[in-house]
Amino acid sequence: MNKLSMESVYSAAEKLKEVARKTSLIESSQFKGVYLKTENLQVTGSFKLRGAYYKISTLSEKEKERGVVACSAGNHAQGVALACQRLGISATIFMPESAPISKVEATKSYGAEVKLVGSVYDDAYAAAIKYNESEGKTFIHPFNDETLIAGQGTVGLEILQEIEDIDAIVVPIGGGGLISGVAFVAKSLNPNCKVYGVEAESANAMKLSKETHQLMCIDSVCTFADGIAVKKPGEVTFDLVEKYVDEIVTVSEDEIASGVLELMEKQKLVCEGSGAVGYSAIKHGKIPYEGKKVAVLLSGGNIDVNILSKVVHRGLVMSGRNTKFRLVLTDKPGQLAKVVNLIGESGANIIKVEHNESEEHMEINCKIVKFVIETRDAEHIKEIKNKIVASGINIVNM
């Protein structure tokens, strides 16, 4: 394992000219001074190509002949598969059964053999290690490798080359490979630059590790941000995070969903959950940015379309753009029309109306009517509900 150094990062940057894009750093339309590093537009749709390609390019001829083994929730898999395709190396990649179909199929399209094992990344990792013990190939770790970390560090190098006086960089954390490389580069070139990590609330192993100053493993992870759903970070990455990362924050599933939605609507950028956590942290006030220059890493854009539709709905609800409520209406002409008119006059759009029979303890001549409506924001919802109640109609709990 080569020691991480600026020399290795510069070497990686030169090697990556063969395959990777220098992604754009664009200013956010929503937050002044916040710049978005668009690795979601990278080849294979994620930063992972950088570390995988650089690591594999440094293998000896004998190692290349034996082929490689890797494990991944999806993005590292695609990076390894493409690197091996370009370099003429066979690849066997273990992925959890829960990996998005789009990521599995994309990995296969680059010529890799894919084996689906277990429910989460850590299960796939264990299976990959066991397989490689008998096959004797070269294992390409997704984050716990300093050569690979040098490749990921080229993201930070590009940011610092474009904005030398950047005040802070915000980076998603799964196993810690990306933030280790970026933080090392940032502190080497600009020691005053703050580095913030962001994890999903239910996958916060690195935050716990940093707070306790020891490597922690959590019992389970449950997040749609599958790219950062890791139970235990690496020893190498933990040491680098301890040394170079200033703070780690977490975001909830609802906050991630609202970030994905806003990036699509306001920035015209599609991100997967793990790619949007940094932006979500800014949006929900977890990281200071006012009066500063802050780079936020959008680490990936490989979101399955089936998941995307659910995330968009969740984001709409979270931002007050979509709501539902139930009303008790007297079963007589004009009552439903009265509510419809109130909603229409308020500028909302009715998506769905459902009529149900009366419930226990209700008057015989009353019915429950459920409305699903499109609104502007949370204040708009409150305004509509207040008008309905003021008209003498009761709103009941969902």
Side-chain angles (χ1 to χ4, degrees):
M1 185 181 293
N2 297 323
K3 186 168 177 60
L4 180 63
S5 65
M6 283 307 300
E7 182 181 358
S8 65
V9 174
Y10 284 118
S11 174
E14 188 63 30
K15 177 61 70 173
L16 287 168
K17 289 179 180 179
E18 300 172 1
V19 64
R21 297 188 182 117
K22 182 177 181 179
T23 52
S24 299
L25 187 62
I26 60 177
E27 187 165 9
S28 165
S29 61
Q30 298 301 106
F31 305 105
K32 183 176 175 58
V34 173
Y35 298 85
L36 308 176
K37 180 61 170 170
T38 54
E39 284 296 293
N40 59 312
L41 302 179
Q42 183 56 266
V43 180
T44 74
S46 143
F47 76 94
K48 287 284 192 177
L49 172 66
R50 294 172 181 265
Y53 188 84
Y54 181 56
K55 171 64 179 179
I56 294 169
S57 73
T58 65
L59 298 180
S60 68
E61 289 305 313
K62 285 188 178 180
E63 288 173 323
K64 290 177 181 178
E65 287 174 11
R66 288 199 299 266
V68 305
V69 174
C71 62
S72 169
N75 288 335
H76 178 62
Q78 292 176 70
V80 170
L82 178 59
C84 287
Q85 183 188 65
R86 294 287 184 92
L87 298 169
I89 301 169
S90 65
T92 303
I93 301 175
F94 287 75
M95 301 174 71
E97 293 171 356
S98 58
I101 294 172
S102 58
K103 292 184 178 182
V104 174
E105 292 305 312
T107 304
K108 290 179 180 178
S109 74
Y110 295 123
E113 178 187 5
V114 174
K115 295 180 180 292
L116 299 177
V117 179
S119 58
V120 295
Y121 159 78
D122 300 84
D123 299 329
Y125 173 77
I129 293 297
K130 184 176 180 180
Y131 170 83
N132 204 40
E133 286 174 356
S134 62
E135 296 299 320
K137 298 178 184 291
T138 301
F139 183 69
I140 308 298
H141 201 287
F143 50 82
N144 202 44
D145 182 293
E146 294 199 8
T147 303
L148 180 134
I149 289 169
Q152 319 299 31
T154 59
V155 180
L157 183 62
E158 289 177 8
I159 293 171
L160 270 294
Q161 286 175 337
E162 196 161 338
I163 307 178
E164 291 182 12
D165 60 342
I166 196 81
D167 293 301
I169 302 177
V170 183
V171 189
I173 299 181
L178 177 61
I179 196 167
S180 295
V182 170
F184 170 76
V185 171
K187 296 297 186 180
S188 297
L189 299 181
N190 179 2
N192 295 321
C193 176
K194 296 283 187 182
V195 179
Y196 297 96
V198 186
E199 292 185 301
E201 280 183 356
S202 62
N204 64 339
M206 188 68 88
K207 186 175 192 296
L208 293 175
S209 298
K210 186 168 175 61
E211 288 173 350
T212 58
H213 304 293
Q214 59 182 328
L215 193 59
M216 302 289 287
C217 178
I218 56 179
D219 294 333
S220 63
V221 292
C222 183
T223 174
F224 77 88
D226 56 279
I228 55 173
V230 176
K231 292 181 183 178
K232 184 180 180 181
E235 296 87 352
V236 173
T237 57
F238 170 61
D239 288 343
L240 290 166
V241 166
E242 275 273 84
K243 187 173 182 180
Y244 296 112
V245 175
D246 295 281
E247 185 180 350
I248 299 174
V249 301
T250 61
V251 284
S252 69
E253 297 299 285
D254 283 340
E255 288 168 341
I256 299 170
S258 69
V260 171
L261 178 62
E262 186 164 291
L263 282 165
M264 281 197 298
E265 280 200 310
K266 306 299 184 182
Q267 297 292 157
K268 316 307 176 191
L269 293 169
V270 176
C271 278
E272 58 193 284
S274 57
V277 293
Y279 184 85
S280 299
I282 292 286
K283 174 178 168 60
H284 293 283
K286 305 291 180 79
I287 293 170
Y289 69 91
E290 293 184 2
K292 303 177 185 294
K293 292 180 182 178
V294 179
V296 177
L297 243 155
L298 307 182
S299 59
N302 294 316
I303 187 166
D304 188 276
V305 291
N306 294 311
I307 296 173
L308 181 59
S309 63
K310 297 174 184 177
V311 171
V312 168
H313 176 71
R314 186 86 163 260
L316 288 170
V317 172
M318 176 68 181
S319 59
R321 302 271 301 285
N322 186 295
T323 192
K324 55 187 177 182
F325 50 78
R326 300 195 307 163
L327 308 178
V328 179
L329 297 182
T330 305
D331 193 11
K332 65 181 183 180
Q335 285 292 290
L336 182 58
K338 179 181 177 181
V339 177
V340 169
N341 288 335
L342 281 171
I343 293 172
E345 289 167 3
S346 299
N349 181 44
I350 298 173
I351 302 172
K352 188 177 183 181
V353 179
E354 289 182 0
H355 296 258
N356 296 310
E357 296 300 323
S358 60
E359 296 181 349
E360 189 179 356
H361 306 307
M362 284 177 53
E363 295 181 17
I364 296 297
N365 65 337
C366 289
K367 287 191 174 183
I368 296 288
V369 181
K370 176 182 172 183
F371 285 84
V372 180
I373 64 175
E374 290 178 333
T375 48
R376 292 190 298 272
D377 51 34
E379 283 301 312
H380 193 201
I381 294 172
K382 185 177 179 181
E383 173 194 329
I384 293 166
K385 288 185 175 181
N386 286 341
K387 283 185 178 181
I388 290 171
V389 173
S391 74
I393 296 170
N394 291 328
I395 298 177
V396 295
N397 294 330
M398 292 300 294

